[in-house]
Amino acid sequence: MLTSKTLHYDVIIAGAGINGCTCAYFLHQAGLKVALVDKNGIASGGSGAAGAFISPKFNKQGPLKELLDLAYEEAILFYTTVLAAHTLIKPLLHISQDDSEDPIYLERSAIVDARSACETLAEGIDFYIFDVQSPTYYDNQWHCGDIRSKHLVLTIGAYPKILPIEYVGLRGIWGHRIDITTSSDVPHIFHEYVSISPTLKEGVIAIGATHDVHYSPFEPNSVYDVQAGRVELIKKAKKTLELNNINIVKDCMGLRSGSNDYMPMLGSLVDADATLALHPHLQHGKAVDPKEFVYYPNLTMVNGSGGYGFVLAPYLGKRLKECLVDGIVMDDTLSPSRYFPRWAKRKKGQS
Ligand SMILES: Cc1cc2nc3c(=O)[nH]c(=O)nc-3n(C[C@H](O)[C@H](O)[C@H](O)COP(=O)(O)OP(=O)(O)OC[C@H]3O[C@@H](n4cnc5c(N)ncnc54)[C@H](O)[C@@H]3O)c2cc1C
């Protein structure tokens, strides 16, 4: 029912991490009326914990490297223009962990102040704090709490899914970064076992990040050992660089959301029940053209950026804007629905 409180938007973006804030920024800049929603606050998830180092992928050729090379160029331009006050440009020395490759010196790399960058991107955009649960679509509108919109964009990272999209394979990987002061000089960014970098805060060095696959904040009674995380980070950093008189000034922790095939996700979502009702033979492994799947209307997911969320966000946000505003058809190689056929086949095996 339409109440006096109901507010109308062109787009609701659920999740205000770097993906949600960047998408909101591009769509707002393009003239759309945007509502940004987060259950805990801007950059309260993985984004608030990030380094956030902006670098390309140095090893392993393949589609992810190709995408990250493109995204890195867009990211450097984006952060140094739109978010210049929140971005420190520094050279980066990448050292391969097993000495299999020569070190790479990259003249132009960057570290972004994650939280203030997200907050700045969200400036001027209507922001709501509430937990979006089971959003519904009727009367040609998405309904989330008291707000409604034509489009819904899900940017909720590694948090529990809010629609029945079990086929979307996402893993939350816990990460820990520390900010320290040290009497040692850190002239540029080092990448080896961990990243070590100067930050925008004078004298503060960021060390990150650990990859703890065993801890999940969603598991009851699961406790993360902050002290052990600190010890691991410092031990790894000291294998690269001598760091004396360390004083830890801040711990930042959060979940990165990684996809099963390591590629990020940008695209529409299949309505699994409706698609299986229309194409039951998908459960027997029969190939169906993805164009024949039933998709949720005007629903897009941006997720699965793994350890490259800040590198990928400007690229993904721009592609989303091109699709919603300029009518450019989205490249379906990043579609989260790529996982659907295999899931449908496995589901048959399980039932
Ligand atoms: C320690 C650490 C270091 C990292 N370092 C780097 C780095 O150097 N460079 C880099 O590029 N990337 C880095 N990453 C990865 C990067 O942080 C992530 O890829 C990125 O933050 C993902 O952003 P996101 O917007 O998709 O998700 P998140 O930042 O997790 O945002 C999701 C948001 O959705 C909200 N939400 C969830 N469910 C709901 C709901 N039902 N209703 C409303 N709101 C909801 C959450 O509160 C959260 O704020 C690092 C990550 C960590 C943890």
Side-chain angles (χ1 to χ4, degrees), residues 109-145:
S109 185
I111 176 163
V112 175
D113 188 90
R115 186 169 295 277
S116 65
C118 290
E119 285 166 356
T120 302
L121 291 171
E123 272 171 15
I125 295 167
D126 287 359
F127 177 63
Y128 297 88
I129 293 204
F130 67 87
D131 192 343
V132 178
Q133 283 304 326
S134 308
T136 48
Y137 187 83
Y138 57 89
D139 294 343
N140 299 320
Q141 303 262 299
W142 280 100
H143 297 245
C144 300

PDB file of all heavy atoms in Angstrom, residues 109-145:
ATOM      1  N   SER A 109      51.012   3.991  -8.624  1.00  0.00           N
ATOM      2  CA  SER A 109      50.048   3.166  -7.914  1.00  0.00           C
ATOM      3  C   SER A 109      49.408   4.075  -6.858  1.00  0.00           C
ATOM      4  O   SER A 109      49.790   5.237  -6.738  1.00  0.00           O
ATOM      5  CB  SER A 109      50.769   1.989  -7.274  1.00  0.00           C
ATOM      6  OG  SER A 109      49.846   1.127  -6.675  1.00  0.00           O
ATOM      7  N   ALA A 110      48.444   3.556  -6.133  1.00  0.00           N
ATOM      8  CA  ALA A 110      47.765   4.456  -5.200  1.00  0.00           C
ATOM      9  C   ALA A 110      47.233   3.708  -3.999  1.00  0.00           C
ATOM     10  O   ALA A 110      47.034   2.490  -4.038  1.00  0.00           O
ATOM     11  CB  ALA A 110      46.610   5.167  -5.907  1.00  0.00           C
ATOM     12  N   ILE A 111      47.014   4.466  -2.938  1.00  0.00           N
ATOM     13  CA  ILE A 111      46.282   3.948  -1.779  1.00  0.00           C
ATOM     14  C   ILE A 111      45.183   4.968  -1.476  1.00  0.00           C
ATOM     15  O   ILE A 111      45.405   6.172  -1.501  1.00  0.00           O
ATOM     16  CB  ILE A 111      47.223   3.678  -0.575  1.00  0.00           C
ATOM     17  CG1 ILE A 111      46.412   3.227   0.627  1.00  0.00           C
ATOM     18  CG2 ILE A 111      48.101   4.851  -0.229  1.00  0.00           C
ATOM     19  CD1 ILE A 111      47.260   2.558   1.710  1.00  0.00           C
ATOM     20  N   VAL A 112      43.982   4.422  -1.245  1.00  0.00           N
ATOM     21  CA  VAL A 112      42.803   5.276  -1.056  1.00  0.00           C
ATOM     22  C   VAL A 112      42.379   5.189   0.406  1.00  0.00           C
ATOM     23  O   VAL A 112      42.429   4.111   1.004  1.00  0.00           O
ATOM     24  CB  VAL A 112      41.649   4.771  -1.969  1.00  0.00           C
ATOM     25  CG1 VAL A 112      40.368   5.543  -1.724  1.00  0.00           C
ATOM     26  CG2 VAL A 112      42.059   4.859  -3.439  1.00  0.00           C
ATOM     27  N   ASP A 113      41.963   6.297   0.967  1.00  0.00           N
ATOM     28  CA  ASP A 113      41.374   6.245   2.309  1.00  0.00           C
ATOM     29  C   ASP A 113      39.937   5.741   2.148  1.00  0.00           C
ATOM     30  O   ASP A 113      39.049   6.472   1.700  1.00  0.00           O
ATOM     31  CB  ASP A 113      41.400   7.635   2.965  1.00  0.00           C
ATOM     32  CG  ASP A 113      40.968   7.539   4.416  1.00  0.00           C
ATOM     33  OD1 ASP A 113      41.836   7.338   5.269  1.00  0.00           O
ATOM     34  OD2 ASP A 113      39.745   7.580   4.684  1.00  0.00           O
ATOM     35  N   ALA A 114      39.760   4.456   2.492  1.00  0.00           N
ATOM     36  CA  ALA A 114      38.545   3.736   2.098  1.00  0.00           C
ATOM     37  C   ALA A 114      37.265   4.401   2.626  1.00  0.00           C
ATOM     38  O   ALA A 114      36.324   4.655   1.864  1.00  0.00           O
ATOM     39  CB  ALA A 114      38.628   2.295   2.596  1.00  0.00           C
ATOM     40  N   ARG A 115      37.247   4.661   3.900  1.00  0.00           N
ATOM     41  CA  ARG A 115      36.004   5.156   4.500  1.00  0.00           C
ATOM     42  C   ARG A 115      35.638   6.543   3.980  1.00  0.00           C
ATOM     43  O   ARG A 115      34.510   6.789   3.549  1.00  0.00           O
ATOM     44  CB  ARG A 115      36.162   5.181   6.028  1.00  0.00           C
ATOM     45  CG  ARG A 115      34.902   5.531   6.782  1.00  0.00           C
ATOM     46  CD  ARG A 115      35.092   5.268   8.255  1.00  0.00           C
ATOM     47  NE  ARG A 115      35.283   3.853   8.520  1.00  0.00           N
ATOM     48  CZ  ARG A 115      34.292   2.976   8.640  1.00  0.00           C
ATOM     49  NH1 ARG A 115      33.050   3.372   8.523  1.00  0.00           N
ATOM     50  NH2 ARG A 115      34.547   1.701   8.886  1.00  0.00           N
ATOM     51  N   SER A 116      36.611   7.462   3.975  1.00  0.00           N
ATOM     52  CA  SER A 116      36.272   8.830   3.543  1.00  0.00           C
ATOM     53  C   SER A 116      35.958   8.848   2.047  1.00  0.00           C
ATOM     54  O   SER A 116      35.152   9.661   1.580  1.00  0.00           O
ATOM     55  CB  SER A 116      37.391   9.817   3.904  1.00  0.00           C
ATOM     56  OG  SER A 116      38.560   9.523   3.189  1.00  0.00           O
ATOM     57  N   ALA A 117      36.558   7.934   1.286  1.00  0.00           N
ATOM     58  CA  ALA A 117      36.241   7.862  -0.154  1.00  0.00           C
ATOM     59  C   ALA A 117      34.779   7.465  -0.342  1.00  0.00           C
ATOM     60  O   ALA A 117      34.043   8.090  -1.115  1.00  0.00           O
ATOM     61  CB  ALA A 117      37.166   6.855  -0.843  1.00  0.00           C
ATOM     62  N   CYS A 118      34.335   6.436   0.385  1.00  0.00           N
ATOM     63  CA  CYS A 118      32.937   5.998   0.263  1.00  0.00           C
ATOM     64  C   CYS A 118      31.996   7.117   0.692  1.00  0.00           C
ATOM     65  O   CYS A 118      30.992   7.393   0.026  1.00  0.00           O
ATOM     66  CB  CYS A 118      32.689   4.746   1.108  1.00  0.00           C
ATOM     67  SG  CYS A 118      33.481   3.262   0.465  1.00  0.00           S
ATOM     68  N   GLU A 119      32.324   7.774   1.806  1.00  0.00           N
ATOM     69  CA  GLU A 119      31.449   8.848   2.305  1.00  0.00           C
ATOM     70  C   GLU A 119      31.352   9.980   1.288  1.00  0.00           C
ATOM     71  O   GLU A 119      30.272  10.544   1.061  1.00  0.00           O
ATOM     72  CB  GLU A 119      31.972   9.365   3.649  1.00  0.00           C
ATOM     73  CG  GLU A 119      31.687   8.384   4.781  1.00  0.00           C
ATOM     74  CD  GLU A 119      32.477   8.679   6.053  1.00  0.00           C
ATOM     75  OE1 GLU A 119      33.321   9.606   6.063  1.00  0.00           O
ATOM     76  OE2 GLU A 119      32.272   7.946   7.039  1.00  0.00           O
ATOM     77  N   THR A 120      32.474  10.311   0.669  1.00  0.00           N
ATOM     78  CA  THR A 120      32.470  11.407  -0.315  1.00  0.00           C
ATOM     79  C   THR A 120      31.622  11.041  -1.537  1.00  0.00           C
ATOM     80  O   THR A 120      30.872  11.868  -2.060  1.00  0.00           O
ATOM     81  CB  THR A 120      33.923  11.738  -0.736  1.00  0.00           C
ATOM     82  OG1 THR A 120      34.646  12.084   0.448  1.00  0.00           O
ATOM     83  CG2 THR A 120      33.988  12.879  -1.731  1.00  0.00           C
ATOM     84  N   LEU A 121      31.737   9.791  -1.984  1.00  0.00           N
ATOM     85  CA  LEU A 121      30.943   9.369  -3.153  1.00  0.00           C
ATOM     86  C   LEU A 121      29.444   9.449  -2.865  1.00  0.00           C
ATOM     87  O   LEU A 121      28.643   9.693  -3.761  1.00  0.00           O
ATOM     88  CB  LEU A 121      31.312   7.931  -3.553  1.00  0.00           C
ATOM     89  CG  LEU A 121      32.707   7.757  -4.143  1.00  0.00           C
ATOM     90  CD1 LEU A 121      33.034   6.276  -4.293  1.00  0.00           C
ATOM     91  CD2 LEU A 121      32.828   8.458  -5.483  1.00  0.00           C
ATOM     92  N   ALA A 122      29.082   9.229  -1.615  1.00  0.00           N
ATOM     93  CA  ALA A 122      27.654   9.203  -1.252  1.00  0.00           C
ATOM     94  C   ALA A 122      27.090  10.598  -0.956  1.00  0.00           C
ATOM     95  O   ALA A 122      25.892  10.730  -0.726  1.00  0.00           O
ATOM     96  CB  ALA A 122      27.451   8.291  -0.042  1.00  0.00           C
ATOM     97  N   GLU A 123      27.954  11.612  -0.988  1.00  0.00           N
ATOM     98  CA  GLU A 123      27.475  12.964  -0.672  1.00  0.00           C
ATOM     99  C   GLU A 123      26.384  13.399  -1.645  1.00  0.00           C
ATOM    100  O   GLU A 123      26.502  13.175  -2.854  1.00  0.00           O
ATOM    101  CB  GLU A 123      28.636  13.973  -0.735  1.00  0.00           C
ATOM    102  CG  GLU A 123      29.353  14.092   0.588  1.00  0.00           C
ATOM    103  CD  GLU A 123      30.637  14.906   0.483  1.00  0.00           C
ATOM    104  OE1 GLU A 123      30.838  15.611  -0.528  1.00  0.00           O
ATOM    105  OE2 GLU A 123      31.460  14.805   1.416  1.00  0.00           O
ATOM    106  N   GLY A 124      25.325  13.993  -1.124  1.00  0.00           N
ATOM    107  CA  GLY A 124      24.246  14.494  -1.975  1.00  0.00           C
ATOM    108  C   GLY A 124      23.250  13.425  -2.393  1.00  0.00           C
ATOM    109  O   GLY A 124      22.297  13.700  -3.114  1.00  0.00           O
ATOM    110  N   ILE A 125      23.461  12.191  -1.938  1.00  0.00           N
ATOM    111  CA  ILE A 125      22.568  11.080  -2.303  1.00  0.00           C
ATOM    112  C   ILE A 125      21.750  10.717  -1.063  1.00  0.00           C
ATOM    113  O   ILE A 125      22.295  10.645   0.043  1.00  0.00           O
ATOM    114  CB  ILE A 125      23.396   9.874  -2.807  1.00  0.00           C
ATOM    115  CG1 ILE A 125      24.100  10.254  -4.112  1.00  0.00           C
ATOM    116  CG2 ILE A 125      22.521   8.627  -2.987  1.00  0.00           C
ATOM    117  CD1 ILE A 125      25.166   9.317  -4.574  1.00  0.00           C
ATOM    118  N   ASP A 126      20.443  10.467  -1.247  1.00  0.00           N
ATOM    119  CA  ASP A 126      19.606  10.109  -0.093  1.00  0.00           C
ATOM    120  C   ASP A 126      20.097   8.786   0.490  1.00  0.00           C
ATOM    121  O   ASP A 126      20.181   7.775  -0.223  1.00  0.00           O
ATOM    122  CB  ASP A 126      18.138   9.953  -0.529  1.00  0.00           C
ATOM    123  CG  ASP A 126      17.506  11.308  -0.827  1.00  0.00           C
ATOM    124  OD1 ASP A 126      18.209  12.331  -0.666  1.00  0.00           O
ATOM    125  OD2 ASP A 126      16.330  11.335  -1.230  1.00  0.00           O
ATOM    126  N   PHE A 127      20.410   8.808   1.780  1.00  0.00           N
ATOM    127  CA  PHE A 127      20.962   7.607   2.420  1.00  0.00           C
ATOM    128  C   PHE A 127      20.059   7.170   3.560  1.00  0.00           C
ATOM    129  O   PHE A 127      19.640   7.979   4.387  1.00  0.00           O
ATOM    130  CB  PHE A 127      22.384   7.894   2.942  1.00  0.00           C
ATOM    131  CG  PHE A 127      22.971   6.723   3.674  1.00  0.00           C
ATOM    132  CD1 PHE A 127      23.201   5.531   3.006  1.00  0.00           C
ATOM    133  CD2 PHE A 127      23.260   6.791   5.037  1.00  0.00           C
ATOM    134  CE1 PHE A 127      23.703   4.421   3.682  1.00  0.00           C
ATOM    135  CE2 PHE A 127      23.775   5.700   5.709  1.00  0.00           C
ATOM    136  CZ  PHE A 127      23.995   4.510   5.025  1.00  0.00           C
ATOM    137  N   TYR A 128      19.748   5.876   3.580  1.00  0.00           N
ATOM    138  CA  TYR A 128      18.870   5.321   4.614  1.00  0.00           C
ATOM    139  C   TYR A 128      19.606   4.205   5.342  1.00  0.00           C
ATOM    140  O   TYR A 128      20.341   3.434   4.709  1.00  0.00           O
ATOM    141  CB  TYR A 128      17.622   4.692   3.984  1.00  0.00           C
ATOM    142  CG  TYR A 128      16.753   5.683   3.238  1.00  0.00           C
ATOM    143  CD1 TYR A 128      16.997   5.964   1.897  1.00  0.00           C
ATOM    144  CD2 TYR A 128      15.692   6.325   3.869  1.00  0.00           C
ATOM    145  CE1 TYR A 128      16.203   6.859   1.196  1.00  0.00           C
ATOM    146  CE2 TYR A 128      14.893   7.227   3.180  1.00  0.00           C
ATOM    147  CZ  TYR A 128      15.153   7.491   1.845  1.00  0.00           C
ATOM    148  OH  TYR A 128      14.367   8.376   1.162  1.00  0.00           O
ATOM    149  N   ILE A 129      19.367   4.105   6.633  1.00  0.00           N
ATOM    150  CA  ILE A 129      19.907   2.960   7.375  1.00  0.00           C
ATOM    151  C   ILE A 129      18.767   2.019   7.708  1.00  0.00           C
ATOM    152  O   ILE A 129      17.891   2.355   8.509  1.00  0.00           O
ATOM    153  CB  ILE A 129      20.625   3.405   8.670  1.00  0.00           C
ATOM    154  CG1 ILE A 129      21.879   4.199   8.310  1.00  0.00           C
ATOM    155  CG2 ILE A 129      20.984   2.192   9.539  1.00  0.00           C
ATOM    156  CD1 ILE A 129      22.963   4.234   9.344  1.00  0.00           C
ATOM    157  N   PHE A 130      18.713   0.894   7.042  1.00  0.00           N
ATOM    158  CA  PHE A 130      17.837  -0.208   7.449  1.00  0.00           C
ATOM    159  C   PHE A 130      18.284  -1.480   6.740  1.00  0.00           C
ATOM    160  O   PHE A 130      19.049  -1.447   5.773  1.00  0.00           O
ATOM    161  CB  PHE A 130      16.341   0.107   7.213  1.00  0.00           C
ATOM    162  CG  PHE A 130      15.898   0.245   5.785  1.00  0.00           C
ATOM    163  CD1 PHE A 130      15.500  -0.854   5.043  1.00  0.00           C
ATOM    164  CD2 PHE A 130      15.861   1.499   5.174  1.00  0.00           C
ATOM    165  CE1 PHE A 130      15.057  -0.718   3.737  1.00  0.00           C
ATOM    166  CE2 PHE A 130      15.418   1.644   3.865  1.00  0.00           C
ATOM    167  CZ  PHE A 130      15.022   0.528   3.144  1.00  0.00           C
ATOM    168  N   ASP A 131      17.808  -2.581   7.271  1.00  0.00           N
ATOM    169  CA  ASP A 131      18.178  -3.895   6.757  1.00  0.00           C
ATOM    170  C   ASP A 131      17.209  -4.264   5.628  1.00  0.00           C
ATOM    171  O   ASP A 131      16.022  -4.413   5.871  1.00  0.00           O
ATOM    172  CB  ASP A 131      18.049  -4.891   7.936  1.00  0.00           C
ATOM    173  CG  ASP A 131      18.670  -6.223   7.633  1.00  0.00           C
ATOM    174  OD1 ASP A 131      18.909  -6.512   6.450  1.00  0.00           O
ATOM    175  OD2 ASP A 131      18.892  -6.989   8.590  1.00  0.00           O
ATOM    176  N   VAL A 132      17.701  -4.353   4.412  1.00  0.00           N
ATOM    177  CA  VAL A 132      16.834  -4.731   3.289  1.00  0.00           C
ATOM    178  C   VAL A 132      16.649  -6.246   3.335  1.00  0.00           C
ATOM    179  O   VAL A 132      17.627  -6.995   3.261  1.00  0.00           O
ATOM    180  CB  VAL A 132      17.461  -4.325   1.937  1.00  0.00           C
ATOM    181  CG1 VAL A 132      16.575  -4.770   0.777  1.00  0.00           C
ATOM    182  CG2 VAL A 132      17.727  -2.829   1.881  1.00  0.00           C
ATOM    183  N   GLN A 133      15.433  -6.680   3.509  1.00  0.00           N
ATOM    184  CA  GLN A 133      15.154  -8.127   3.550  1.00  0.00           C
ATOM    185  C   GLN A 133      14.055  -8.447   2.558  1.00  0.00           C
ATOM    186  O   GLN A 133      13.046  -7.757   2.514  1.00  0.00           O
ATOM    187  CB  GLN A 133      14.715  -8.546   4.958  1.00  0.00           C
ATOM    188  CG  GLN A 133      15.858  -8.651   5.957  1.00  0.00           C
ATOM    189  CD  GLN A 133      16.958  -9.601   5.502  1.00  0.00           C
ATOM    190  OE1 GLN A 133      16.701 -10.601   4.847  1.00  0.00           O
ATOM    191  NE2 GLN A 133      18.195  -9.267   5.818  1.00  0.00           N
ATOM    192  N   SER A 134      14.231  -9.488   1.768  1.00  0.00           N
ATOM    193  CA  SER A 134      13.245  -9.956   0.798  1.00  0.00           C
ATOM    194  C   SER A 134      12.558  -8.812   0.045  1.00  0.00           C
ATOM    195  O   SER A 134      11.338  -8.622   0.161  1.00  0.00           O
ATOM    196  CB  SER A 134      12.163 -10.792   1.504  1.00  0.00           C
ATOM    197  OG  SER A 134      12.755 -11.779   2.275  1.00  0.00           O
ATOM    198  N   PRO A 135      13.318  -8.042  -0.713  1.00  0.00           N
ATOM    199  CA  PRO A 135      12.667  -6.973  -1.482  1.00  0.00           C
ATOM    200  C   PRO A 135      11.644  -7.583  -2.456  1.00  0.00           C
ATOM    201  O   PRO A 135      11.856  -8.689  -2.958  1.00  0.00           O
ATOM    202  CB  PRO A 135      13.830  -6.327  -2.245  1.00  0.00           C
ATOM    203  CG  PRO A 135      14.923  -7.339  -2.238  1.00  0.00           C
ATOM    204  CD  PRO A 135      14.749  -8.153  -1.010  1.00  0.00           C
ATOM    205  N   THR A 136      10.551  -6.873  -2.691  1.00  0.00           N
ATOM    206  CA  THR A 136       9.520  -7.438  -3.575  1.00  0.00           C
ATOM    207  C   THR A 136       9.289  -6.510  -4.761  1.00  0.00           C
ATOM    208  O   THR A 136       9.494  -5.293  -4.669  1.00  0.00           O
ATOM    209  CB  THR A 136       8.186  -7.616  -2.819  1.00  0.00           C
ATOM    210  OG1 THR A 136       7.912  -6.408  -2.119  1.00  0.00           O
ATOM    211  CG2 THR A 136       8.247  -8.767  -1.838  1.00  0.00           C
ATOM    212  N   TYR A 137       8.836  -7.116  -5.860  1.00  0.00           N
ATOM    213  CA  TYR A 137       8.580  -6.351  -7.087  1.00  0.00           C
ATOM    214  C   TYR A 137       7.113  -6.490  -7.450  1.00  0.00           C
ATOM    215  O   TYR A 137       6.634  -7.594  -7.708  1.00  0.00           O
ATOM    216  CB  TYR A 137       9.467  -6.893  -8.220  1.00  0.00           C
ATOM    217  CG  TYR A 137       9.404  -6.058  -9.476  1.00  0.00           C
ATOM    218  CD1 TYR A 137      10.174  -4.908  -9.614  1.00  0.00           C
ATOM    219  CD2 TYR A 137       8.567  -6.414 -10.537  1.00  0.00           C
ATOM    220  CE1 TYR A 137      10.122  -4.133 -10.758  1.00  0.00           C
ATOM    221  CE2 TYR A 137       8.514  -5.637 -11.687  1.00  0.00           C
ATOM    222  CZ  TYR A 137       9.297  -4.497 -11.788  1.00  0.00           C
ATOM    223  OH  TYR A 137       9.244  -3.721 -12.921  1.00  0.00           O
ATOM    224  N   TYR A 138       6.373  -5.422  -7.437  1.00  0.00           N
ATOM    225  CA  TYR A 138       5.014  -5.412  -7.956  1.00  0.00           C
ATOM    226  C   TYR A 138       4.680  -3.986  -8.404  1.00  0.00           C
ATOM    227  O   TYR A 138       5.389  -3.042  -8.036  1.00  0.00           O
ATOM    228  CB  TYR A 138       3.985  -5.950  -6.939  1.00  0.00           C
ATOM    229  CG  TYR A 138       3.951  -5.237  -5.611  1.00  0.00           C
ATOM    230  CD1 TYR A 138       3.128  -4.130  -5.423  1.00  0.00           C
ATOM    231  CD2 TYR A 138       4.733  -5.663  -4.542  1.00  0.00           C
ATOM    232  CE1 TYR A 138       3.095  -3.474  -4.194  1.00  0.00           C
ATOM    233  CE2 TYR A 138       4.693  -5.008  -3.324  1.00  0.00           C
ATOM    234  CZ  TYR A 138       3.873  -3.918  -3.154  1.00  0.00           C
ATOM    235  OH  TYR A 138       3.858  -3.264  -1.946  1.00  0.00           O
ATOM    236  N   ASP A 139       3.624  -3.850  -9.176  1.00  0.00           N
ATOM    237  CA  ASP A 139       3.257  -2.544  -9.768  1.00  0.00           C
ATOM    238  C   ASP A 139       4.458  -1.917 -10.490  1.00  0.00           C
ATOM    239  O   ASP A 139       4.682  -0.702 -10.404  1.00  0.00           O
ATOM    240  CB  ASP A 139       2.764  -1.554  -8.691  1.00  0.00           C
ATOM    241  CG  ASP A 139       1.460  -1.991  -8.058  1.00  0.00           C
ATOM    242  OD1 ASP A 139       0.778  -2.854  -8.656  1.00  0.00           O
ATOM    243  OD2 ASP A 139       1.140  -1.490  -6.962  1.00  0.00           O
ATOM    244  N   ASN A 140       5.269  -2.750 -11.120  1.00  0.00           N
ATOM    245  CA  ASN A 140       6.451  -2.284 -11.865  1.00  0.00           C
ATOM    246  C   ASN A 140       7.463  -1.534 -10.999  1.00  0.00           C
ATOM    247  O   ASN A 140       8.193  -0.666 -11.487  1.00  0.00           O
ATOM    248  CB  ASN A 140       6.042  -1.367 -13.039  1.00  0.00           C
ATOM    249  CG  ASN A 140       5.165  -2.092 -14.012  1.00  0.00           C
ATOM    250  OD1 ASN A 140       5.421  -3.278 -14.306  1.00  0.00           O
ATOM    251  ND2 ASN A 140       4.122  -1.447 -14.483  1.00  0.00           N
ATOM    252  N   GLN A 141       7.485  -1.862  -9.720  1.00  0.00           N
ATOM    253  CA  GLN A 141       8.398  -1.170  -8.799  1.00  0.00           C
ATOM    254  C   GLN A 141       9.024  -2.180  -7.834  1.00  0.00           C
ATOM    255  O   GLN A 141       8.357  -3.139  -7.430  1.00  0.00           O
ATOM    256  CB  GLN A 141       7.624  -0.167  -7.933  1.00  0.00           C
ATOM    257  CG  GLN A 141       6.828   0.876  -8.675  1.00  0.00           C
ATOM    258  CD  GLN A 141       7.570   2.195  -8.778  1.00  0.00           C
ATOM    259  OE1 GLN A 141       7.874   2.800  -7.768  1.00  0.00           O
ATOM    260  NE2 GLN A 141       7.852   2.619  -9.976  1.00  0.00           N
ATOM    261  N   TRP A 142      10.243  -1.893  -7.447  1.00  0.00           N
ATOM    262  CA  TRP A 142      10.842  -2.621  -6.329  1.00  0.00           C
ATOM    263  C   TRP A 142      10.440  -1.926  -5.032  1.00  0.00           C
ATOM    264  O   TRP A 142      10.437  -0.694  -4.967  1.00  0.00           O
ATOM    265  CB  TRP A 142      12.362  -2.652  -6.457  1.00  0.00           C
ATOM    266  CG  TRP A 142      12.815  -3.707  -7.425  1.00  0.00           C
ATOM    267  CD1 TRP A 142      13.188  -3.506  -8.721  1.00  0.00           C
ATOM    268  CD2 TRP A 142      12.894  -5.110  -7.188  1.00  0.00           C
ATOM    269  NE1 TRP A 142      13.507  -4.712  -9.307  1.00  0.00           N
ATOM    270  CE2 TRP A 142      13.334  -5.712  -8.388  1.00  0.00           C
ATOM    271  CE3 TRP A 142      12.642  -5.926  -6.090  1.00  0.00           C
ATOM    272  CZ2 TRP A 142      13.522  -7.083  -8.506  1.00  0.00           C
ATOM    273  CZ3 TRP A 142      12.828  -7.305  -6.211  1.00  0.00           C
ATOM    274  CH2 TRP A 142      13.261  -7.862  -7.398  1.00  0.00           C
ATOM    275  N   HIS A 143      10.133  -2.732  -4.036  1.00  0.00           N
ATOM    276  CA  HIS A 143       9.710  -2.185  -2.735  1.00  0.00           C
ATOM    277  C   HIS A 143      10.699  -2.666  -1.673  1.00  0.00           C
ATOM    278  O   HIS A 143      10.877  -3.864  -1.476  1.00  0.00           O
ATOM    279  CB  HIS A 143       8.318  -2.687  -2.364  1.00  0.00           C
ATOM    280  CG  HIS A 143       7.261  -2.239  -3.329  1.00  0.00           C
ATOM    281  ND1 HIS A 143       6.234  -1.388  -2.984  1.00  0.00           N
ATOM    282  CD2 HIS A 143       7.089  -2.505  -4.651  1.00  0.00           C
ATOM    283  CE1 HIS A 143       5.477  -1.158  -4.028  1.00  0.00           C
ATOM    284  NE2 HIS A 143       5.966  -1.829  -5.060  1.00  0.00           N
ATOM    285  N   CYS A 144      11.318  -1.719  -1.010  1.00  0.00           N
ATOM    286  CA  CYS A 144      12.238  -2.043   0.090  1.00  0.00           C
ATOM    287  C   CYS A 144      11.835  -1.146   1.255  1.00  0.00           C
ATOM    288  O   CYS A 144      12.026   0.077   1.185  1.00  0.00           O
ATOM    289  CB  CYS A 144      13.685  -1.724  -0.274  1.00  0.00           C
ATOM    290  SG  CYS A 144      14.315  -2.596  -1.708  1.00  0.00           S
ATOM    291  N   GLY A 145      11.295  -1.720   2.288  1.00  0.00           N
ATOM    292  CA  GLY A 145      10.793  -0.891   3.384  1.00  0.00           C
ATOM    293  C   GLY A 145       9.804   0.132   2.827  1.00  0.00           C
ATOM    294  O   GLY A 145       8.913  -0.205   2.051  1.00  0.00           O
TER     295      GLY A 145
END
